[in-house]
C-alpha cells in the first residue's frame, strides 16, 4: 500500500499456491481475501463476515448478515447439468486499492491500484477431470446424513455462543464477537449440500431452519 504496509502475499504450500489480501494496517492486519490454487477462495467484508465463498463446484455471494444473495455452479462441476446456475460477472472492492473480478472459474483477478500503477494477479483455476472423479456427489447424501450434519453444526454454534457468554458476561458485547472462520465454513458447506442434494423442499427447509436457528 502507499502506507508501506503489505497488501498482497503469494506463498507456496507444498504444491499449492495461496494468495492472501491483507487490510492496510501495520499491526494485526486482518485478512480480506484468500485464494488457493485448489479452487477454494473466500473474500471477507471489512467487518470480517464472509462476502464470497467459492470451491471447485461453484460459489456463493452473501450479504453482511450472512444471507445468501446469489449462488452459482461452474460448468464443469459435479452438479447435474439441470441444476447449473450460471455465474453473472462479479466486481467487488475489498478496499480503496484492491478489487476482485470474477468472470469464470479460471478468470478470477485480484487488482491492486495505487499511485497511478496497477498490478494484476490471476488467481483462478480450472478443475481437471481427474479431480472431478474424486469428488463425492452431493446427491448421495440421504435425509438422515443431512439432518445429522445440520444438528452437528448447530451444536457447534451453541458451544461457541456459550463460550462467548462465559468470556463476556455483558450481553452488550455479544454482537461484537466474530464467529470463528471454521464455523462459518462448515455452515456454508451444509447449506451448499442442502441446495445441491436431491431431497424434498420440506427437508431442505428443515435443514436450513436447524442451521440458521
Amino acid at each position: 500500500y502507499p502506507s508501506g504496509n503489505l497488501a498482497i502475499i503469494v506463498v507456496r504450500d507444498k504444491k499449492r499456491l495461496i494468495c492472501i489480501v491483507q487490510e492496510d494496517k501495520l499491526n494485526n492486519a486482518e485478512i480480506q481475501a484468500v485464494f488457493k490454487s485448489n479452487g477454494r477462495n473466500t473474500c471477507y467484508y471489512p467487518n470480517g463476515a464472509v462476502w464470497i465463498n467459492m470451491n471447485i463446484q461453484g460459489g456463493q455471494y452473501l450479504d453482511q448478515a450472512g444471507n445468501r444473495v446469489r449462488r452459482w455452479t461452474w460448468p464443469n462441476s459435479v452438479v447435474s447439468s439441470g441444476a447449473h446456475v450460471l455465474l453473472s460477472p462479479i466486481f467487488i472492492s475489498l478496499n480503496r486499492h484492491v478489487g476482485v473480478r470474477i468472470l469464470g472459474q479460471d478468470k478470477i483477478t485480484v487488482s491492486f491500484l495505487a499511485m497511478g500503477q496497477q498490478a494484476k494477479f490471476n488467481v483462478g483455476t480450472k478443475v481437471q477431470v481427474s479431480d472431478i472423479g474424486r469428488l463425492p456427489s452431493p446427491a448421495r447424501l440421504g435425509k438422515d446424513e443431512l439432518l445429522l450434519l445440520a444438528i452437528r453444526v448447530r451444536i457447534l454454534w451453541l458451544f461457541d455462543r456459550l463460550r462467548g457468554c462465559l468470556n463476556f458476561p455483558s450481553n452488550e458485547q455479544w454482537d461484537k464477537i466474530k464467529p470463528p472462520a471454521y464455523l462459518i465454513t462448515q455452515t456454508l458447506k451444509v447449506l451448499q449440500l442442502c441446495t445441491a442434494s436431491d431431497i424434498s423442499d420440506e427437508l431442505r427447509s428443515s435443514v436450513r431452519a436447524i442451521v440458521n436457528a
Side-chain angles (χ1 to χ4, degrees), residues 64-118:
Q64 296 192 54
N67 301 309
R68 186 172 65 193
V69 177
R70 56 173 142 157
R71 69 176 180 88
W72 66 90
T73 52
W74 306 121
N76 55 348
S77 71
V78 297
V79 179
S80 62
S81 58
H84 277 299
V85 178
L86 296 178
L87 167 71
S88 297
I90 294 176
F91 304 88
I92 64 171
S93 296
L94 297 176
N95 55 55
R96 59 182 298 185
H97 296 290
V98 182
V100 177
R101 180 178 64 178
I102 305 172
L103 300 179
Q105 187 180 27
D106 58 342
K107 297 178 181 178
I108 303 174
T109 305
V110 176
S111 300
F112 176 83
L113 178 63
M115 297 182 291
Q117 295 184 323
Q118 186 178 42

Side-chain angles (χ1 to χ4, degrees), residues 4-69:
N5 298 325
L6 193 58
I8 298 174
I9 309 167
V10 180
V11 297
R12 181 179 293 277
D13 179 19
K14 296 180 181 180
K15 295 183 179 181
R16 181 185 305 168
L17 288 175
I18 303 175
C19 176
I20 301 172
V21 180
Q22 296 189 144
E23 66 176 337
D24 190 3
K25 192 175 179 182
L26 180 59
N27 297 313
N28 301 319
E30 295 287 345
I31 292 177
Q32 294 195 290
V34 178
F35 301 92
K36 299 180 180 180
S37 57
N38 64 358
R40 296 185 178 276
N41 314 307
T42 307
C43 300
Y44 300 93
Y45 284 102
N47 65 359
V50 174
W51 194 342
I52 295 175
N53 188 57
M54 293 175 279
N55 57 31
I56 55 178
Q57 290 181 286
Q60 293 191 103
Y61 187 112
L62 309 172
D63 62 20
Q64 296 192 54
N67 301 309
R68 186 172 65 193
V69 177

Side-chain angles (χ1 to χ4, degrees), residues 135-172:
L135 290 174
S137 173
R140 295 176 185 171
L141 289 178
K143 172 183 176 180
D144 294 339
E145 292 171 302
L146 278 172
L147 287 173
L148 285 173
L149 283 174
I151 293 171
R152 178 180 178 275
V153 168
R154 183 58 191 159
I155 291 173
L156 290 174
W157 275 102
L158 291 174
F159 275 126
D160 181 72
R161 184 70 169 179
L162 179 59
R163 282 193 294 268
C165 293
L166 293 174
N167 294 329
F168 303 96
S170 174
N171 58 8
E172 295 179 356

